[in-house]
Amino acid sequence: MIRLSNINKTFRVAKRKSGFGNAVKALFSREYEKIRALQDVSFTINDGEMVGYIGPNGAGKSTTIKIMCGILTPDSGECDINGSNPWKQRLRHVRDIGVVFGQRSQLWWDVPVIDSFDLIRDIYKIDENLYRRNLDEMIALLDLSEILKTPTRSLSLGQRMRCEIAASLLHSPKILFLDEPTIGLDAVSKIAVRGFIKKINAEHKTTVILTTHDMQDIEALTERILLIGKGRILLDGSLTELLKRSSANKILVVDYNGNVPSLNEHMSLVEQKDGQISVTFDPVELSVSNAIAHISAQVEVLDVSVSGISAEQMVAALYEEYRI
């Protein structure tokens, strides 16, 4: 279990004006600004959960992850992860966690991937039988057999990220922290990574904390989201419930033959193209079936689709609501 209680973290950042003269002055006298990265952050994550940790840039996501990993020490507050304090009992703690930072590598750049894996085995002192079993599983699930002997610097981004995820799981961690794991990946690589993460969670009950700006990752992997903004936890809830709460209006898209159909008083035009019309309406005032019936009574309907607000639209609305 992961439990954070009233975590605070402040950074002291040096500030100076541009220009050579100001650079010289800064050598002798610097101005500093305090940035409150986290303010009384508290939440609990149960074993086996997959949680999306979202928020705009600078909200405090990566700072929280680094504290939970033991990389940073907070100014105040408590953090208990499977009975360990991450920054006080770091050696014990890191045996239980795996970490993937999308913009940083834990693989050695100039050596083959398999050599990096073997070195990670030695660092974590992984039992040889466990290492072989985990390595074989990673090779099969992430399709790594053709790239194990390739130096990391020669891999594509998608290949490297698959190797990064494999490296983070070789020691069978109970918790997996994923910070932007699909950043820059193509569609095929994203689908492969998402499928693998779901499989690991289902089969090994690995707890997954995912930070990302890609809402398709959130929709595909998580049921619960934590929204952070300006260093504070603003929202903690089920993604499905949030989508239902935000989906007051429905969008109806109709492909048709005939003249442009007229709308009733409860419909608003979103877009009109040749042979297609998109309208929005409140299902409380006008049911979906009645909306379709209203249009089909005027034209020959070829295709119909009804949708609510997307996850990306929901998150954008939440950012606007909380002014972050």
Side-chain angles (χ1 to χ4, degrees):
M1 177 181 286
I2 299 172
R3 184 180 62 83
L4 272 69
S5 178
N6 302 117
I7 293 289
N8 291 277
K9 182 65 178 177
T10 301
F11 293 103
R12 191 165 172 252
V13 181
K15 297 285 186 179
R16 73 168 177 83
K17 297 178 182 178
S18 61
F20 179 74
N22 289 312
V24 173
K25 287 180 183 179
L27 293 174
F28 304 98
S29 177
R30 291 193 177 189
E31 295 181 5
Y32 291 91
E33 179 184 356
K34 286 188 176 181
I35 306 295
R36 296 197 67 184
L38 298 177
Q39 303 180 52
D40 294 319
V41 169
S42 301
F43 58 79
T44 299
I45 297 174
N46 295 317
D47 294 341
E49 271 196 283
M50 289 210 292
V51 178
Y53 194 39
I54 64 172
N57 290 329
K61 301 186 300 297
S62 292
T63 301
T64 311
I65 295 296
K66 288 174 182 176
I67 287 174
M68 289 193 288
C69 293
I71 298 171
L72 291 177
T73 300
D75 301 331
S76 62
E78 298 179 0
C79 178
D80 184 285
I81 299 182
N82 288 342
S84 297
N85 180 296
W87 57 91
K88 291 181 180 178
Q89 299 164 296
R90 193 169 179 187
L91 286 178
R92 173 183 167 186
H93 175 63
V94 295
R95 295 183 182 278
D96 284 340
I97 66 170
V99 186
V100 177
F101 289 108
Q103 301 184 57
R104 295 178 180 84
S105 179
Q106 61 187 313
L107 304 174
W108 279 259
W109 201 243
D110 293 313
V111 303
V113 171
I114 189 62
D115 287 354
S116 290
F117 287 174
D118 289 344
L119 188 54
I120 289 169
R121 174 199 60 196
D122 296 338
I123 290 172
Y124 281 93
K125 299 178 182 179
I126 306 171
D127 176 79
E128 186 63 30
N129 291 331
L130 176 63
Y131 172 70
R132 280 292 148 199
R133 185 168 69 248
N134 286 346
L135 180 60
D136 290 344
E137 182 180 16
M138 301 301 149
I139 290 172
L141 294 176
L142 289 169
D143 191 22
L144 304 179
S145 58
E146 298 297 322
I147 58 177
L148 286 177
K149 297 180 181 179
T150 305
T152 302
R153 57 179 165 76
S154 300
L155 299 177
S156 69
L157 180 58
Q159 291 172 329
R160 182 174 69 79
M161 287 310 303
R162 297 206 310 272
C163 293
E164 295 280 358
I165 293 172
S168 70
L169 291 166
L170 288 172
H171 59 294
S172 299
K174 299 174 183 176
I175 301 169
L176 182 61
F177 295 104
L178 300 173
D179 191 359
E180 300 283 3
T182 63
I183 188 170
L185 300 190
D186 58 57
V188 174
S189 297
K190 284 186 178 184
I191 291 171
V193 167
R194 289 169 189 156
F196 173 75
I197 294 168
K198 290 178 75 172
K199 190 174 181 68
I200 288 295
N201 173 259
E203 294 185 357
H204 299 281
K205 305 303 179 185
T206 304
T207 305
V208 178
I209 295 90
L210 171 68
T211 69
T212 181
H213 292 294
D214 189 335
M215 291 311 300
Q216 290 182 341
D217 286 348
I218 297 294
E219 285 187 286
L221 295 173
T222 68
E223 271 300 317
R224 175 186 172 195
I225 65 168
L226 290 164
L227 173 66
I228 185 171
K230 299 179 181 177
R232 294 181 180 273
I233 298 295
L234 302 174
L235 197 64
D236 180 356
S238 160
L239 180 62
T240 303
E241 290 174 358
L242 290 171
L243 282 169
K244 286 179 180 178
R245 190 189 81 175
S246 304
S247 299
N249 285 3
K250 297 292 184 182
I251 299 174
L252 172 65
V253 180
V254 179
D255 293 333
Y256 63 90
N257 278 331
N259 297 324
V260 179
S262 63
L263 308 181
N264 70 19
E265 58 183 351
H266 299 300
M267 294 178 171
S268 298
L269 181 66
V270 175
E271 186 180 17
Q272 181 182 316
K273 297 186 290 188
D274 186 27
Q276 185 183 83
I277 190 170
S278 302
V279 300
T280 183
F281 59 94
D282 186 339
V284 174
E285 298 177 342
L286 178 67
S287 69
V288 173
S289 59
N290 285 339
I292 295 173
H294 177 81
I295 292 178
S296 62
Q298 304 175 61
V299 296
E300 178 189 357
V301 174
L302 304 177
D303 193 17
V304 173
S305 67
V306 181
S307 62
I309 190 172
S310 69
E312 286 187 347
Q313 290 171 318
M314 179 201 73
V315 170
L318 288 174
Y319 286 1
E320 184 175 346
E321 178 183 343
Y322 289 104
R323 298 181 181 179
I324 56 175

